Amino acid sequence: MALSILRRSPHTVNIPSRYLAQSCSGGARVPKTYFHTTPSRELIKPYLLADIGEGITECRVVQWFVKPGDRVSQFDPICEVQSDKASVEITSRYDGVIASIHHEADEMAEVGKPLLDIDIEDDSSSPSQAPTKSTAEEIVSDDMSTATASVAANTNMPNNLSNTNPELEAKNSGLIVPAVRSMLKQHKIDIKDIAGSGKGRRVTKEDVQRHLRSRNLALKPLSSKPAAWPGAPLEDEVVSLTPIETQMFKVMTRALSIPHFGYSHSVDVTSLISLCRNFNKQPGVSSEIHGDGVSKLTALPFVMKAISQAFLRHPRLNAHLNTETSPQNPQLIVKASHNFGIAVDTPNGLLVPVVKDIQNRSILSIAEEIKRLSTLAKEGSLTPLDMSGATFTVSNIGSIGGSVVHPILVSPTVGIVAVGKVEEVPVFSQHNKDVDPSIVKREKAVLSWSADHRVLDGASVARCAQLVARVLENIESIGIGLR
């Protein structure tokens, strides 16, 4: 009788296979033809990680904003990914339901490969063709009750199909966030050993961290020897590289194939520093003329503008070396725009945003753009556009300290300069050859250049560097040549 009821039901009844197996083992067999499926009106579509910047092939998944079963609409945030250059929030391009997630938090995802799968609703189905939500729920509920009663009658099972522990079911459900699942897997912890404090006794990251602290305290022997310095490790530890450090490792490894030519020279920046100090004492004068935006002027915008002026005479230093098209016949692409990457020290590592079109910018415009990019870099909010298109690199290592450094080239650019710390030095001054020279105080900074010696010879680099020095030492002349 029960089987005939199931046979007459026009709707799909999903019964766990373990109960069907038990009913069959009890003597009564349920023919497979009595259970059928209806055509799905949903389309499972893989959501690919799009290209988020030139040269980026993989990203680290920082966090997920969704979980399997969540319904999303277009432009809803799905996850946050971190490349070696910037943090990007990925949004949905579809309306649908999250079917599955392919990566845990902190895992690396490849560009062009699926991040997750989305069930996209079939727009061809009309409301008249499908039952309403309440009607469908009533039909499925009635059929499931009938099917449950029939299986239980043949197996002497209780009508309640769920005989699991509610606490363990909540812990082991799919509602565990990816970050918690990743921590459990990394530290080889059984979720049953942790008491969840979240909603529905769900295990949270704080619960896992609390469990780790208690476990380490129990296993770690007491030591009376204090650390040499607050925060210094007491024992060896293995530390994984961050995405920025991983990319730096790859880029610097490739840089080993470039023969570097180094050139350093000392530049007298006394008049330049004096100009900056006078400007900073009277910022209101500049605001009246140029508007707000720059509250403090440094020497870096002047150095970048002087280099841009020198590149008008020595354009081959502002170029890309193309070896990919034909390794046996490389090409030097001389760039018309002067787009200078600036090295910014951030809590997450060294980032190099790009100030574009310096040849068409004023000193104040360059200073404003440096301020904007530096702020975004320290906040971790740079976009791929802010990081792309560099034709030359300027590193202001003097802001930390140090005079002479050996900057490393990053392909495909062919030149880089590092600006050292401005220092007061004694200099012999002789205005009249018939008078003994006097000693005066001057302010100087060392500029350290590196160039790709495969396409640039030392004389070309030295001439360009000396032209930059002459412009900076006669800073009042820079305004004459500005466009």
Side-chain angles (χ1 to χ4, degrees):
M1 181 62 182
L3 296 179
S4 65
I5 291 175
L6 290 175
R7 178 167 46 196
R8 290 197 300 271
S9 176
H11 308 290
T12 301
V13 180
N14 296 320
I15 301 178
S17 59
R18 62 178 182 273
Y19 298 126
L20 293 178
Q22 292 176 3
S23 66
C24 293
S25 63
R29 293 187 173 274
V30 182
K32 294 182 179 178
T33 55
Y34 292 162
F35 298 93
H36 60 89
T37 59
T38 56
S40 173
R41 295 187 181 276
E42 294 184 340
L43 173 65
I44 297 181
K45 191 175 185 66
Y47 193 103
L48 306 182
L49 176 59
D51 187 2
I52 61 174
E54 59 180 30
I56 298 176
T57 60
E58 60 182 4
C59 299
R60 181 176 67 90
V61 179
V62 178
Q63 60 177 326
W64 287 101
F65 303 124
V66 296
K67 60 182 180 295
D70 285 355
R71 179 174 294 277
V72 295
S73 301
Q74 293 187 47
F75 308 113
D76 284 351
I78 292 179
C79 66
E80 179 185 359
V81 298
Q82 171 78 49
S83 71
D84 61 293
K85 296 181 177 180
S87 177
V88 179
E89 185 178 274
I90 304 297
T91 58
S92 175
R93 295 193 293 269
Y94 311 105
D95 296 335
V97 178
I98 303 299
S100 61
I101 292 177
H102 291 269
H103 299 280
E104 304 286 352
D106 292 331
E107 286 186 353
M108 300 301 294
E110 295 185 19
V111 172
K113 297 295 182 65
L115 273 174
L116 47 79
D117 294 331
I118 301 183
D119 284 346
I120 302 175
E121 297 177 352
D122 188 358
D123 295 335
S124 63
S125 60
S126 62
S128 61
Q129 295 174 335
T132 63
K133 180 177 180 181
S134 59
T135 305
E137 288 177 350
E138 292 175 1
I139 293 173
V140 173
S141 177
D142 293 341
D143 286 345
M144 182 58 73
S145 300
T146 304
T148 303
S150 302
V151 174
N154 288 279
T155 60
N156 296 322
M157 278 177 30
N159 289 341
N160 183 14
L161 294 179
S162 177
N163 58 359
T164 58
N165 187 324
E167 180 178 349
L168 294 181
E169 183 177 355
K171 288 183 180 181
N172 292 280
S173 66
L175 297 179
I176 300 175
V177 296
V180 173
R181 190 177 294 110
S182 176
M183 293 175 65
L184 294 173
K185 181 179 178 181
Q186 177 183 357
H187 298 284
K188 299 179 181 179
I189 302 175
D190 190 345
I191 192 173
K192 298 178 182 179
D193 298 335
I194 304 177
S197 62
K199 185 177 180 181
R201 296 186 179 181
R202 188 182 306 168
V203 176
T204 64
K205 291 177 63 176
E206 290 74 16
D207 296 331
V208 179
Q209 293 170 349
R210 192 181 305 111
H211 177 80
L212 284 173
R213 286 195 296 268
S214 61
R215 188 180 71 175
N216 294 339
L217 186 61
L219 296 178
K220 188 174 181 179
L222 296 177
S223 175
S224 59
K225 184 178 180 180
W229 188 263
L234 296 175
E235 57 186 18
D236 295 347
E237 59 179 332
V238 179
V239 180
S240 300
L241 297 180
T242 66
I244 293 178
E245 291 170 339
T246 300
Q247 182 65 15
M248 182 171 62
F249 173 83
K250 296 176 181 178
V251 171
M252 292 299 104
T253 301
R254 291 196 298 267
L256 290 174
S257 62
I258 301 175
H260 286 58
F261 171 79
Y263 180 84
S264 297
H265 60 125
S266 181
V267 180
D268 190 333
V269 292
T270 305
S271 59
L272 170 57
I273 298 301
S274 177
L275 175 62
C276 293
R277 288 172 181 156
N278 291 334
F279 175 90
N280 296 333
K281 289 179 181 178
Q282 305 177 30
V285 176
S286 177
S287 299
E288 294 177 0
I289 300 175
H290 303 282
D292 296 331
V294 178
S295 58
K296 183 179 180 181
L297 197 59
T298 66
L300 182 59
F302 291 92
V303 174
M304 295 171 68
K305 191 64 180 181
I307 295 173
S308 177
Q309 291 287 299
F311 282 175
L312 299 177
R313 295 281 190 91
H314 304 275
R316 290 172 67 90
L317 272 76
N318 188 64
H320 282 181
L321 180 60
N322 180 14
T323 59
E324 297 180 358
T325 304
S326 177
Q328 302 301 325
N329 187 23
Q331 296 176 325
L332 188 65
I333 305 173
V334 179
K335 296 292 185 176
S337 297
H338 298 172
N339 303 335
F340 292 176
I342 54 172
V344 179
D345 183 32
T346 73
N348 297 321
L350 188 69
L351 297 178
V352 187
V354 181
V355 180
K356 296 181 172 64
D357 297 322
I358 291 181
Q359 77 280 2
N360 297 325
R361 288 180 178 268
S362 66
I363 299 295
L364 289 177
S365 175
I366 296 172
E368 291 175 3
E369 186 66 0
I370 291 174
K371 179 181 177 181
R372 183 186 75 86
L373 293 173
S374 298
T375 301
L376 292 177
K378 293 175 182 178
E379 294 175 351
S381 303
L382 288 170
T383 66
L385 184 62
D386 294 327
M387 305 286 290
S388 61
T391 61
F392 189 79
T393 305
V394 179
S395 175
N396 187 21
I397 194 66
S399 60
I400 300 176
S403 299
V404 182
V405 295
H406 178 60
I408 306 298
L409 277 172
V410 176
S411 178
T413 60
V414 297
I416 182 175
V417 66
V419 182
K421 179 181 179 181
V422 176
E423 297 179 314
E424 295 180 348
V425 296
V427 176
F428 286 106
S429 175
Q430 186 174 16
H431 300 287
N432 190 335
K433 63 180 180 179
D434 298 329
V435 180
D436 292 337
S438 60
I439 298 178
V440 297
K441 181 179 69 176
R442 306 294 291 179
E443 294 181 281
K444 290 194 173 186
V446 176
L447 270 58
S448 301
W449 301 69
S450 287
D452 191 334
H453 214 349
R454 295 174 296 181
V455 292
L456 294 173
D457 57 70
S460 299
V461 177
R463 292 190 184 97
C464 181
Q466 289 301 318
L467 179 55
V468 171
R470 287 195 295 273
V471 173
L472 293 176
E473 290 173 349
N474 300 276
I475 197 61
E476 50 285 333
S477 65
I478 197 171
I480 299 175
L482 291 184
R483 297 189 286 177

